Amino acid sequence: MISVNSATVSFGGFNLFDNISFLINPKDRIGLAGKNGAGKSTMLKLLCGEQHPTKGEISIPKDCKIGYLPQDMIHQHGRTVFDEAETAYAEIQILEEKLNNINHQLETRTDYESAEYMKLIEDLTEINHRLDIFGAANKEEEIEKVLKGLGFDRNEFTRQTSELSGGWRMRIELAKLLLQKPDVLLLDEPTNHLDIEAIQWLEEFMETFAGAVVLISHDKAFLDAVTKRTIEIVNQKIFDYKTNYSRYLILRKERKEQQENAAKNQQKIINQTEVLIDKYRAKASKASFAQSLIKKLDRMERVEVDEDDAATVHFRFPPPAHSGKIILTVEHAGKKYGDKQIFSEADFIIAKGEKIGFVGRNGEGKSTMIKMIAKRIPHEGVAQLGHGVLMGYFEQDQEEKLDQDKTVFQIIDDLAAGEIRKQVRNLLGAFLFSGDDIDKKVKVLSGGERGRLALCKLLLEPYNLLLLDEPTNHLDIRSKEILKKALMDYEGTVVMVSHDRDFMKGMCNRLFEFRDGKVKEHLCDITEFMELRKVERLNELDLEKSVVKVAAVKIEKPKPNPVELEKEKEQKQIRNQIKKSEEEIEKLEGEIKLCDEKLSNPETYALLTNDKNFFDNYNSLKAKLDSEMKKWEELSGKLS
């Protein structure tokens, strides 16, 4: 579908990508992996045509429709939520005009046997097929289905988009892309502004999405649920794994171990060759031999070991201060904004050492409850902290409330007291602020840097209650894992709002769901809760699904014509060739692995040093493997 051919991207003399090639096939589900700055977002911009490679080319079929959701974009105003979503169907109007024109020509022309007349019939079939894909007949139902799936209530459909926050406007842009049903969907952090239920709905939507998907995400659970292929960008190159993110991490570790072993073996060869060069270069009778060894070293392609991104947040929370057994008591609590009741009659008790999760759709009151506990807003009922409770509060927009004109060091140094003041630089270093970074003013920091600085403030006091509102925003997957471990090791009490299922999994075994104005307790972990919500949502959609099934029954599948049968036969042959190619690749990899094992064994290596046939065979195996991999890619590209 899309072919990236020997693409190089340079910025100011630095190569971001160097001579990379890969294919995006129909129905591919690809996750882009790599450290920050590796070029993941740039890759999406190349694929959608927003940027172009310095060298090489990206081939996109003329009729291939691409949908691209960047992290930041300019939003349109002046329409309601529903009307803005409906702009996704602009192509329907164009197609319907073409359809009317073709029908008029078919009615008035009489050259039934001409090539032009047959072309009109082909165009008619294609346009009708395209209209069916778009769902032109039931577009209002489709719009409602997608908007509701992404978290909009029906009563919000008539709201002006200008009244919504940036996160909700981004949901409308995502809805428009999904409604357009592109051939290739490019998504850059699509879950950033979604709650847990909207993320789960999007995962289910992707299961039936007919096109290919290429995405970037820091949500490990989302990557595992959606992707079946992972392309890692590292050292200006790419590595293609035919698996999801979790399995890719295992295979990547194995690949790096192989690289390290191969690099060690190669270095042994280099060292021994250099010894021989030094030994013979001074002897006239052996000078030509020494020169041949030097040329051999110059021609040798050095084994590169992938660099690890060691820049990861690393810290532990200080031991919590002593407190009573009851940390928090909430009785008949509620909150109203104007005439709108967010929730009411909330009742629960949180004990010392518990890890509690607040879950539910956006706008149902999770962050509001956190603010009530933190005494930031007035409310109905009681939200009382227990004896000796010392509370640390991480707000969802905490990074925006930092003093913009202070430096990183000043933010922490001003709050630090006692012995902790001596450790400010070490503390900042644990959150990736070192050297000149600590003298940067807050206003020039990225969103991720501000988030890390706000988290760092929680380590300045021995808090025994942590209130965390979306603490993983702007953190990469590895930093999330370290924060999760720190919280699991933390002996105090944690109450958190999070939409990251992998982050909450195994940590929160008691959840409070905010839904329809009520707060409901669930004595289970996030995985069990999501299964429960999935069943409830399926029950809600039973009527709608039954209507879809009835409509589907009425559609008679046409009998395959000879051309289709021939095409299926060709596809079957290609699949058989791919299977044989995969078997040959596995065989060659096995033989190369045996050679590597001999090279890594000092005893056998000594015998092989002067064995020209062995190295010729070794290089031949690698060349055959490269050739077979290219053959496999070409065959895979022919599958429709």
Side-chain angles (χ1 to χ4, degrees), residues 557-593:
K557 187 176 181 181
K559 294 181 180 179
N561 59 38
V563 175
E564 290 173 336
L565 290 173
E566 182 63 28
K567 184 178 180 181
E568 178 57 32
K569 182 179 177 181
E570 291 175 359
Q571 293 285 298
K572 185 176 181 180
Q573 290 175 346
I574 292 171
R575 285 193 288 270
N576 289 335
Q577 291 173 0
I578 288 174
K579 184 178 179 182
K580 289 180 181 178
S581 180
E582 288 173 343
E583 290 172 352
E584 181 64 15
I585 288 170
E586 186 176 354
K587 176 187 171 186
L588 289 168
E589 287 178 337
E591 292 177 8
I592 290 172
K593 184 177 180 182

Side-chain angles (χ1 to χ4, degrees), residues 115-332:
E116 290 84 359
Y117 195 89
M118 296 305 295
K119 180 66 167 61
L120 286 174
I121 293 176
E122 289 177 10
D123 291 344
L124 181 73
T125 303
E126 174 61 27
I127 289 174
N128 277 319
H129 177 63
R130 194 71 181 167
L131 287 171
D132 286 340
I133 291 175
F134 275 129
N138 59 341
K139 68 177 184 180
E140 290 189 359
E141 293 176 19
E142 284 291 310
I143 292 171
E144 181 174 344
K145 172 186 170 185
V146 172
L147 287 176
K148 288 179 68 177
L150 291 175
F152 288 94
D153 289 328
R154 190 179 281 106
N155 59 14
E156 294 177 311
F157 289 179
T158 55
R159 287 185 66 185
Q160 290 290 316
T161 58
S162 57
E163 299 174 12
L164 303 177
S165 67
W168 284 100
R169 291 199 295 269
M170 190 63 76
R171 292 191 190 206
I172 298 175
E173 298 302 326
L174 177 57
K176 287 159 61 176
L177 282 183
L178 300 181
L179 289 166
Q180 288 168 6
K181 296 183 173 64
D183 299 303
V184 181
L185 192 55
L186 309 175
L187 304 174
D188 196 346
E189 297 290 355
T191 64
N192 268 2
H193 304 288
L194 302 182
D195 54 48
I196 284 181
E197 292 190 27
I199 292 171
Q200 188 178 42
W201 177 88
L202 183 58
E203 289 173 357
E204 293 166 5
F205 183 93
M206 290 299 179
E207 290 177 7
T208 57
F209 178 66
V213 178
V214 184
L215 66 90
I216 302 167
S217 179
H218 286 158
D219 188 328
K220 185 177 177 182
F222 182 73
L223 283 170
D224 282 345
V226 174
T227 63
K228 295 179 174 62
R229 182 179 167 195
T230 303
I231 293 179
E232 181 190 25
I233 304 173
V234 60
N235 291 344
Q236 306 171 15
K237 303 190 294 288
I238 63 162
F239 293 90
D240 201 339
Y241 299 83
K242 306 298 187 289
T243 187
N244 65 12
Y245 185 82
S246 289
R247 177 64 180 158
Y248 141 75
L249 291 176
I250 297 171
L251 296 177
R252 181 185 183 278
K253 183 179 179 182
E254 292 175 356
R255 189 190 84 227
K256 188 176 181 189
E257 289 173 353
Q258 291 171 356
Q259 287 177 335
E260 290 172 344
N261 289 334
K264 287 178 182 177
N265 293 333
Q266 187 182 66
Q267 191 58 47
K268 288 179 183 177
I269 295 173
I270 292 171
N271 293 342
Q272 291 180 347
T273 304
E274 288 175 342
V275 169
L276 290 174
I277 291 170
D278 291 340
K279 181 178 179 181
Y280 294 119
R281 73 193 319 167
K283 297 181 179 180
S285 60
K286 298 289 185 178
S288 60
F289 176 62
Q291 286 299 316
S292 68
L293 291 177
I294 291 172
K295 290 178 181 178
K296 179 182 176 181
L297 279 185
D298 290 340
R299 292 194 301 269
M300 184 179 292
E301 186 177 344
R302 297 300 197 265
V303 175
E304 291 186 7
V305 179
D306 297 341
E307 296 177 3
D308 270 335
D309 184 9
T312 308
V313 176
H314 189 73
F315 68 97
R316 289 178 61 91
F317 286 103
H322 179 71
S323 69
K325 291 184 177 180
I326 302 301
I327 297 295
L328 174 67
T329 302
V330 174
E331 295 178 341
H332 308 298

Side-chain angles (χ1 to χ4, degrees), residues 382-396:
V382 175
Q384 182 65 46
L385 297 177
H387 174 70
V389 173
L390 183 61
M391 177 189 67
Y393 177 30
F394 181 91
E395 298 181 69
Q396 190 171 357

